[in-house]
Amino acid sequence: AQKVTQAQTEISVVEKEDVTLDCVYETRDTTYYLFWYKQPPSGELVFLIRRNSFDEQNEISGRYSWNFQKSTSSFNFTITASQVVDSAVYFCALNKDGQNFVFGPGTRLSVLP
Amino acid sequence: DAGITQSPRHKVTETGTPVTLRCHQTENHRYMYWYRQDPGHGLRLIHYSYGVKDTDKGEVSDGYSVSRSKTEDFLLTLESATSSQTSVYFCAIRSGTSFNEQYFGPGTRLTVT
């Protein structure tokens, strides 16, 4: 069975602080895909990144970076120099075939001015 | 923008009444999904479709039915709404460079009183 854990229910930081959102997953598949989605207060779900299980390179996109470590089954998301607009619920998700997505419960990030 | 719309966006209904939610997409995607989002659970798959008239159950399908009579529309029906079906419902399509990403509609907030 597949499972995604986001142990941090809520995080609060002050603007310009760096913040890391944790994601730990469980799967028996050797090929799988990991995702992060952002849900701002307006409610829509925004796709941020997909990572394949056979590519452990970290990725950086502007202030966002992702650290994928198969040895610890983790796919953590770091926001550098956080901004108020980063306030949202962030979901980590896992699937093996594009079909059966398993989502974590989400982490609510509040960035205070 | 994955060209997905959902209607209605908000609905309040009474226990025992039937409710149908509509998902409409304009880009000829074959795969479509219905999820519900509840606090502490992330998103959970209700039903999905892999083509016209081809549907299958997800993790939380009890009390829900779906229909897909044409590619662009995927309908979710609550035959007799219950308070436990109060939730936010998201439709998604499958796409992406490796065809294993999902993109979501804006959501429908359903309240059953």
Side-chain angles (χ1 to χ4, degrees):
Chain A
Q2 299 184 324
K3 183 179 179 181
V4 175
T5 301
Q6 295 179 256
Q8 304 151 310
T9 305
E10 294 191 30
I11 300 175
S12 185
V13 299
V14 176
E15 204 169 20
K16 298 184 183 177
E17 287 185 7
D18 298 347
V19 57
T20 295
L21 309 183
D22 298 332
C23 173
V24 174
Y25 62 92
E26 296 176 26
T27 181
R28 294 181 180 176
D29 299 303
T30 54
T31 298
Y32 52 89
Y33 305 88
L34 295 161
F35 302 80
W36 277 95
Y37 286 85
K38 174 183 180 180
Q39 187 176 43
S42 52
E44 72 271 24
L45 283 156
V46 179
F47 169 83
L48 294 179
I49 190 171
R50 182 199 73 223
R51 173 59 74 207
N52 307 327
S53 58
F54 43 87
D55 180 4
E56 286 193 72
Q57 271 196 328
N58 292 331
E59 182 154 343
I60 298 175
S61 176
R63 296 184 297 106
Y64 294 173
S65 62
W66 291 269
N67 180 262
F68 175 32
Q69 292 195 345
K70 287 178 78 170
S71 60
T72 56
S73 297
S74 64
F75 186 44
N76 296 337
F77 173 29
T78 296
I79 302 175
T80 302
S82 60
Q83 300 176 1
V84 173
V85 293
D86 296 326
S87 296
V89 180
Y90 292 87
F91 292 97
C92 182
L94 165 71
N95 86 61
K96 65 176 181 178
D97 56 7
Q99 190 74 335
N100 298 308
F101 269 63
V102 174
F103 283 82
T107 296
R108 180 178 299 277
L109 173 65
S110 298
V111 181
L112 307 175
Chain B
D1 185 357
I4 308 169
T5 57
Q6 293 184 229
S7 58
R9 295 292 313 280
H10 301 270
K11 186 169 182 68
V12 180
T13 192
E14 293 184 351
T15 299
T17 59
V19 176
T20 295
L21 309 183
R22 180 185 185 230
C23 177
H24 179 78
Q25 52 112 347
T26 59
E27 298 181 1
N28 208 35
H29 296 291
R30 178 182 172 191
Y31 290 83
M32 298 181 74
Y33 306 82
W34 276 108
Y35 290 88
R36 59 178 290 173
Q37 181 184 10
D38 304 291
H41 290 278
L43 280 82
R44 292 178 293 174
L45 182 65
I46 306 171
H47 281 280
Y48 64 95
S49 169
Y50 47 96
V52 173
K53 299 190 178 175
D54 291 323
T55 64
D56 206 347
K57 296 179 180 180
E59 176 189 357
V60 291
S61 60
D62 286 349
Y64 302 95
S65 62
V66 290
S67 66
R68 193 165 179 204
S69 59
K70 45 186 179 178
T71 299
E72 58 266 35
D73 289 326
F74 190 30
L75 304 180
L76 176 70
T77 297
L78 291 65
E79 302 289 349
S80 178
T82 67
S83 58
S84 65
Q85 294 176 311
T86 293
S87 187
V88 180
Y89 291 86
F90 285 95
C91 175
I93 58 90
R94 180 176 168 184
S95 184
T97 53
S98 300
F99 196 51
N100 57 17
E101 296 164 11
Q102 291 193 8
Y103 295 89
F104 291 83
T108 294
R109 182 174 296 276
L110 176 68
T111 302
V112 183
T113 62

